[in-house]
Amino acid sequence: MTCIAIDDEPLALRQLENYISKIPFLELVSTCSSAVEAKQLLNEDAVDVIFADINMPDLNGLDFVRSLASPPLVVFTTAYSEFAIDSYRVDAVDYLLKPFGLDDFRRAANKAKQRYDMMNAAVARTGNATDDDTLYLKTDYKVVRVNISSIEYVEGMSEYLKIHIDNQPKPIIVLLAMKKLEEHLPDYFMRIHRSYIVNLKKIQEVNKNRVIIDADTYLPIGDMYKEAFNNYLSTKFLGK
């Protein structure tokens, strides 16, 4: 599970970083000293869980989570017990009262992992392919059939995915992990960014560090995925 840690106190942030490093299923993407900084990060890269202090300047942790269109799983950390009720009103996985130890943190992380696994398992039951070009996906309390070849690209946003379809004005939004969907897509789809999977057959142009689907759609190529994408291009490229 990818995660970020947010705290305006340097010592508390280092402690979170240390605890996260001791949990095998957690991958720390970044540490942030403010909710404003974290919000900017989440606009570029989705994560599975946030470990966030509540009492921070400029934008407190509760208002930060409320401001997110599709917040990931959240574990709050704070020295103020009066925030406990409010934390569960934003559906927090857990609430850690400072000072807390590694055992307390591990219990909270395990709760987040259990909820993460439950969400993915529930969607996977309806998310398996039934033939070579079909997926059934759960969205808005119903199950819809999607032709895989009609998917232009997939956009990750926290624990949700936006699946953009040919000639459809609005994407399909599903509660599903990017990795889970990848397992059911054919080899003409490629992950080009932490937050994007693209249908290679839909690419019209590659310009520097982005791919162009149409006049209004530009997708970034992340540093982690650049080599694999360039290797794919080299197998198709003709000319000097």
Side-chain angles (χ1 to χ4, degrees):
M1 295 167 57
T2 56
C3 65
I4 60 173
I6 314 167
D7 202 304
D8 63 315
E9 298 178 5
L11 288 176
L13 196 57
R14 283 200 292 272
Q15 183 189 57
L16 277 174
E17 186 173 2
N18 179 48
Y19 286 170
I20 289 169
S21 71
K22 297 181 184 301
I23 309 298
F25 55 80
L26 291 179
E27 176 191 347
L28 183 64
V29 172
S30 182
T31 58
C32 303
S33 58
S34 72
V36 173
E37 180 185 350
K39 193 167 184 177
Q40 292 173 344
L41 185 149
L42 291 178
N43 286 336
E44 300 175 0
D45 294 309
V47 297
D48 300 316
V49 59
I50 295 171
F51 296 93
D53 188 21
I54 291 180
N55 191 30
M56 293 184 288
D58 298 326
L59 181 64
N60 71 47
L62 289 167
D63 290 338
F64 162 62
V65 173
R66 292 189 186 105
S67 73
L68 299 176
S70 298
L73 300 174
V74 179
V75 174
F76 282 119
T77 66
T78 184
Y80 301 92
S81 59
E82 60 266 28
F83 288 124
I85 294 176
D86 285 337
S87 73
Y88 291 109
R89 286 176 179 162
V90 295
D91 198 27
V93 172
D94 208 349
Y95 176 96
L96 292 172
L97 188 62
K98 297 177 181 179
F100 54 87
L102 178 58
D103 287 342
D104 295 323
F105 182 85
R106 183 179 286 110
R107 279 192 291 270
N110 284 333
K111 285 183 181 180
K113 181 68 161 57
Q114 288 170 3
R115 188 181 294 190
Y116 176 82
D117 289 343
M118 286 174 61
M119 290 189 304
N120 286 335
V123 178
R125 287 195 291 269
T126 57
N128 293 326
T130 58
D131 59 50
D132 288 344
D133 194 45
T134 300
L135 288 175
Y136 285 91
L137 299 171
K138 188 175 182 181
T139 180
D140 293 333
Y141 307 103
K142 60 187 177 183
V143 176
V144 298
R145 179 180 177 275
V146 175
N147 290 333
I148 297 174
S149 58
S150 70
I151 298 173
E152 292 186 331
Y153 66 98
V154 179
E155 179 182 1
M157 51 176 201
S158 301
E159 71 269 31
Y160 290 87
L161 299 178
K162 285 184 178 181
I163 300 177
H164 297 261
I165 308 291
D166 275 340
N167 302 316
Q168 288 193 18
K170 293 183 179 180
I172 296 172
I173 299 177
V174 297
L175 181 64
L176 188 65
M178 186 82 84
K179 185 176 180 180
K180 177 64 69 173
L181 181 62
E182 273 189 285
E183 294 171 358
H184 296 283
L185 293 175
D187 58 8
Y188 57 86
F189 283 84
M190 180 177 284
R191 186 85 168 263
I192 60 167
H193 187 276
R194 182 184 293 274
S195 301
Y196 292 101
I197 298 173
V198 67
N199 184 339
L200 297 169
K201 296 180 180 181
K202 304 295 184 181
I203 295 175
Q204 300 301 315
E205 186 179 329
V206 179
N207 189 333
K208 296 182 180 179
N209 290 325
R210 61 185 183 177
V211 300
I212 299 171
I213 304 297
D214 56 43
D216 300 313
T217 308
Y218 300 76
L219 307 181
I221 303 170
D223 290 340
M224 289 177 55
Y225 306 92
K226 190 178 299 182
E227 182 177 357
F229 182 71
N230 286 338
N231 289 341
Y232 161 76
L233 284 184
S234 67
T235 67
K236 303 294 183 181
F237 184 73
L238 298 179
K240 296 182 179 179

